[in-house]
């Protein structure tokens, strides 16, 4: 379905993300490297929060799910066995005049006449398959042969370690192996900010099951993916399931549901849920000659089937930013704020002295800040400009609470806590701050 594009909103989000230290262009001082983005101080906190929430929700809360952190570099035979060397390619066309390259299957999105180059109007050459795998020459001898690849998906780390996990943890079916880590894809046309990039973090797990139970587990994880969408603060009404047709499914999948999100540039993929059958383990067993079968309590040996929920971190960050972005008016003044859930917000609370140049307020504010930071590390101290300006600055980075130390504090140990979303203020005992903020983080999960 086509949704209305909102270029202005996208520009506002990209500009806020840069201005406030969430996301910078990769290698910016050298003109930027296409398809790479770097998380700044606030983006790094935000993405750590998302990864921690994901790991808690999908790994630690499920006793049958095991974590993994495997290597980015994997040898060629892995990709030959998995089918990526042959099947992980996009159709590409190159303009004969300006030599720019485009994804043949995306041309309709960027131009009205898909037979001509959208940049210079030149004619296209023949369509070719363009591999998304990044080759690496391992060993330093010049001109040595490609013998490894940066992983195109982190899933292969789970499959090549399947036997190691079986042997060390002795899990019973069904069970999962999960990891969070970098994946690399040589995208022909990286674009739309964090949406299509060449280096990105993936959060995913392979859930191993008996073949006859795959549908039951597919449904179970489908539901949990929706719970995750609520948990992380992605607008449910802007998220939609799409049953992927056979021709559009990856080479390993017998059923895929995409979770699509209404980004300002259109409705596009956010997450994927795939039934990978026994494709990968079977192929690795054939190619490596290592027995990758599971033995059940009755002594039957077989290759388990796999359900795979897959989540791109960058697309999560983008969908969370879009879902949280708000503009309103307070006291006749316009403001922009990010309505992050407290659990996701990069800064949970900011502590201010009411006035910068009053040493007794500074000392007390520093003391409150230090004590609170011991218990809740994502706390900021701010004494720049007047309190109104500090509120605006914190609103813009999505800080849920601002704590002001004033002259009454010196008398009765109470502070003002101002709520980001309602702009309402309440008076709280200093000793109550830690449980108050922690409770808000927990209950608003
Ligand atoms: N192991 C399965 C797999 O990798 P995928 O649909 O190719 O499946 C999984 O990718 C997720 O990774 C996507 O749902 C999306 O969130 C994210 N993703 C894929 N390509 C991406 C890219 N070029 N830039 C940013 N995120 C990407």
């Amino acid at each position: 379905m086509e949704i209305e594009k909102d270029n202005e909103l996208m520009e506002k989000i990209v500009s806020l993300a840069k201005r406030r230290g969430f996301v910078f262009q990769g290698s910016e001082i050298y003109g930027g490297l296409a398809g790479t983005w770097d998380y700044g101080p606030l983006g790094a906190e935000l993405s750590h929060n998302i990864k921690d929430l994901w790991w808690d929700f999908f790994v630690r809360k499920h006793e049958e799910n095991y974590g993994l952190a495997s290597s980015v570099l994997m040898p060629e035979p892995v990709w030959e066995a998995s089918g990526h060397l042959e099947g992980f390619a996009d159709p590409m066309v190159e303009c004969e005049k300006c030599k720019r390259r485009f994804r043949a299957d995306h041309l309709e999105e960027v131009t009205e006449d898909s037979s001509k180059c959208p940049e210079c109007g030149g004619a296209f050459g023949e369509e070719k398959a363009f591999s998304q795998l990044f080759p690496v020459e391992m060993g330093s001898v010049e001109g040595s042969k490609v013998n490894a690849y940066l992983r195109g998906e982190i899933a292969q780390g789970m499959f090549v370690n399947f036997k190691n996990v079986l042997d060390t943890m002795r899990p019973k079916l069904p069970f999962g192996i999960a990891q969070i880590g970098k994946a690399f894809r040589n995208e022909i046309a990286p674009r739309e900010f964090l949406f299509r990039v060449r280096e990105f973090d993936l959060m995913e797990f392979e859930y191993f099951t008996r073949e006859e139970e795959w549908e039951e587990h597919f449904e179970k994880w489908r539901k949990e993916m929706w719970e995750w969408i609520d948990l992380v603060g992605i607008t449910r009404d802007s998220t939609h399931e799409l049953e992927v047709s056979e021709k559009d499914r990856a080479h390993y999948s017998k059923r895929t549901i995409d979770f699509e999100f209404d980004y300002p540039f259109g409705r596009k993929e956010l997450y994927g849920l795939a039934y990978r059958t026994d494709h990968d383990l079977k192929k690795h067993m054939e190619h490596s000659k290592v027995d990758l079968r599971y033995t059940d309590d009755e002594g039957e040996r077989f290759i388990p089937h796999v359900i795979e929920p897959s989540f791109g971190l960058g697309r999560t960050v983008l969908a969370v930013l879009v879902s949280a972005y708000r503009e309103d008016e307070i006291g006749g003044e316009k403001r922009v704020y990010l309505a992050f859930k407290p659990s996701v917000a990069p800064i949970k609370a900011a502590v201010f002295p009411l006035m910068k140049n009053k040493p007794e307020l500074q000392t007390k504010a520093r003391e409150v800040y230090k004590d609170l930071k011991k218990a809740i590390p994502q706390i900021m101290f701010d004494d720049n400009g007047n309190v109104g300006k500090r509120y605006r600055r914190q609103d813009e980075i999505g800080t849920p609470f601002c704590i002001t130390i004033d002259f009454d504090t010196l008398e009765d140990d109470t502070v003002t806590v101002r709520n980001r979303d309602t702009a309402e203020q309440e008076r709280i005992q200093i000793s109550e701050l830690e449980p108050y903020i922690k409770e808000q983080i927990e209950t608003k999960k």
Side-chain angles (χ1 to χ4, degrees):
M1 192 191 115
E2 270 300 296
I3 64 154
E4 212 179 303
K5 297 193 178 163
D6 190 341
N7 295 336
E8 200 189 325
L9 174 63
M10 197 58 206
E11 276 166 28
K12 284 179 183 169
I13 288 174
V14 175
S15 140
L16 189 156
K18 167 152 197 203
R19 189 162 32 84
R20 302 310 314 273
F22 283 92
V23 182
F24 308 129
Q25 162 118 70
S27 306
E28 192 181 329
I29 62 166
Y30 287 97
L33 179 66
T36 66
W37 295 92
D38 296 346
Y39 290 114
L42 293 182
E45 292 297 336
L46 176 66
S47 58
H48 274 295
N49 292 345
I50 293 172
K51 287 192 272 190
D52 288 349
L53 271 179
W54 189 91
W55 196 257
D56 267 353
F57 187 75
F58 285 111
V59 189
R60 294 198 173 130
K61 286 216 168 100
H62 295 273
E63 63 172 322
E64 83 279 24
N65 282 355
Y66 298 85
L68 185 79
S70 72
S71 303
V72 160
L73 289 166
M74 298 180 89
E76 188 164 69
V78 170
W79 305 106
E80 205 172 316
S82 71
H84 282 78
L85 266 189
E86 201 186 308
F88 201 46
D90 285 328
M92 181 205 71
V93 283
E94 189 174 271
C95 170
E96 287 178 337
K97 204 163 138 200
C98 72
K99 304 291 173 206
R100 282 198 180 86
R101 290 169 166 185
F102 300 90
R103 260 183 73 165
D105 54 339
H106 286 175
L107 269 175
E108 274 166 27
E109 285 174 32
V110 290
T111 177
E112 279 178 10
D113 181 355
S114 56
S115 68
K116 286 191 193 129
C117 171
E119 297 293 334
C120 74
F124 289 124
E126 214 180 291
E127 185 177 307
K128 289 183 188 148
F130 183 83
S131 172
Q132 287 199 58
L133 282 180
F134 269 108
V136 175
E137 289 178 12
M138 277 185 65
S140 55
V141 182
E142 206 179 315
S144 60
K145 268 182 58 177
V146 169
N147 49 15
Y149 290 86
L150 299 179
R151 61 187 179 192
E153 60 163 2
I154 64 174
Q156 295 308 321
M158 273 79 103
F159 296 125
V160 302
N161 280 292
F162 175 74
K163 188 173 175 343
N164 285 333
V165 176
L166 269 192
D167 292 348
T168 51
M169 309 309 287
R170 311 245 159 240
K172 296 263 176 262
L173 284 182
F175 70 91
I177 309 181
Q179 75 171 317
I180 297 179
K182 291 272 188 196
F184 301 82
R185 294 186 189 173
N186 203 355
E187 295 284 350
I188 297 165
R191 63 197 161 110
E192 254 107 46
F193 194 35
L194 301 171
F195 178 78
R196 191 177 304 290
V197 296
R198 290 184 168 134
E199 172 181 339
F200 56 98
D201 288 281
L202 266 172
M203 312 182 283
E204 72 182 14
F205 59 100
E206 310 306 314
Y207 199 73
F208 300 94
T209 157
R210 289 171 183 273
E211 180 177 5
E212 58 275 22
E213 290 174 6
W214 79 265
E215 276 159 311
E216 175 196 326
H217 295 296
F218 193 91
E219 287 310 316
K220 170 187 152 71
W221 292 117
R222 181 182 187 171
K223 276 204 203 95
E224 294 220 9
M225 288 177 80
W226 279 108
E227 283 174 34
W228 162 257
I229 284 162
D230 291 336
L231 179 75
V232 76
I234 293 174
T235 309
R236 191 175 252 262
D237 290 347
S238 307
T239 315
H240 315 269
E241 285 187 11
L242 172 80
E243 186 74 46
V244 180
S245 67
E246 193 180 344
K247 80 171 177 32
D248 289 330
R249 284 199 296 262
H251 61 277
Y252 50 71
S253 173
K254 252 201 179 154
R255 184 177 180 199
T256 297
I257 288 179
D258 277 353
F259 287 71
E260 295 192 312
F261 181 73
D262 295 331
Y263 301 96
F265 44 83
R267 183 172 294 178
K268 302 234 164 92
E269 182 186 339
L270 171 65
Y271 300 143
L273 172 65
Y275 168 42
R276 290 180 82 126
T277 69
D278 57 356
H279 167 86
D280 300 87
L281 287 180
K282 205 158 90 189
K283 290 283 177 197
H284 284 305
M285 186 158 145
E286 273 168 35
H287 284 245
S288 68
K289 311 272 186 289
V290 174
D291 190 350
L292 298 179
R293 286 174 302 171
Y294 170 88
T295 310
D296 71 10
D297 290 343
E298 280 69 50
E300 197 197 335
R301 310 192 87 186
F302 58 94
I303 299 179
H305 280 233
V306 171
I307 304 298
E308 179 194 65
S310 186
F311 308 74
L313 175 70
R315 289 189 192 181
T316 307
V317 168
L318 183 52
V320 166
L321 283 171
V322 172
S323 301
Y325 187 89
R326 309 265 192 289
E327 288 177 5
D328 68 359
E329 242 178 56
I330 299 184
E333 238 188 85
K334 277 199 172 158
R335 74 158 176 164
V336 168
Y337 71 104
L338 293 174
F340 289 139
K341 288 201 159 197
S343 54
V344 166
I347 305 294
K348 310 302 184 207
V351 179
F352 314 151
L354 180 66
M355 282 179 267
K356 188 176 178 161
N357 53 3
K358 296 281 177 211
E360 61 274 42
L361 294 183
Q362 278 281 354
T363 309
K364 188 72 186 170
R366 280 271 166 206
E367 196 185 296
V368 171
Y369 162 74
K370 265 196 185 156
D371 282 350
L372 209 50
K373 200 166 171 65
K374 273 186 216 145
I376 308 169
Q378 290 170 317
I379 302 283
M380 188 183 260
F381 184 86
D382 191 358
D383 61 1
N384 250 320
N386 64 38
V387 170
K389 280 206 180 117
R390 296 179 209 158
Y391 283 157
R392 297 293 169 276
R393 270 206 302 274
Q394 295 299 330
D395 286 345
E396 218 186 21
I397 62 170
T399 306
F401 307 105
C402 290
I403 299 162
T404 305
I405 279 69
D406 56 23
F407 291 105
D408 287 343
T409 314
L410 306 177
E411 302 295 319
D412 61 6
D413 259 1
T414 62
V415 292
T416 304
V417 177
R418 183 252 196 192
N419 181 298
R420 173 198 65 203
D421 301 343
T422 61
E424 277 167 15
Q425 305 186 4
E426 54 182 315
R427 206 75 199 168
I428 287 185
Q429 283 286 329
I430 290 175
S431 57
E432 287 303 306
L433 279 175
E434 182 193 327
Y436 176 85
I437 296 171
K438 280 190 170 161
E439 197 202 315
Q440 298 279 335
I441 295 173
E442 272 309 309
T443 53
K444 293 202 174 143
K445 260 188 180 168

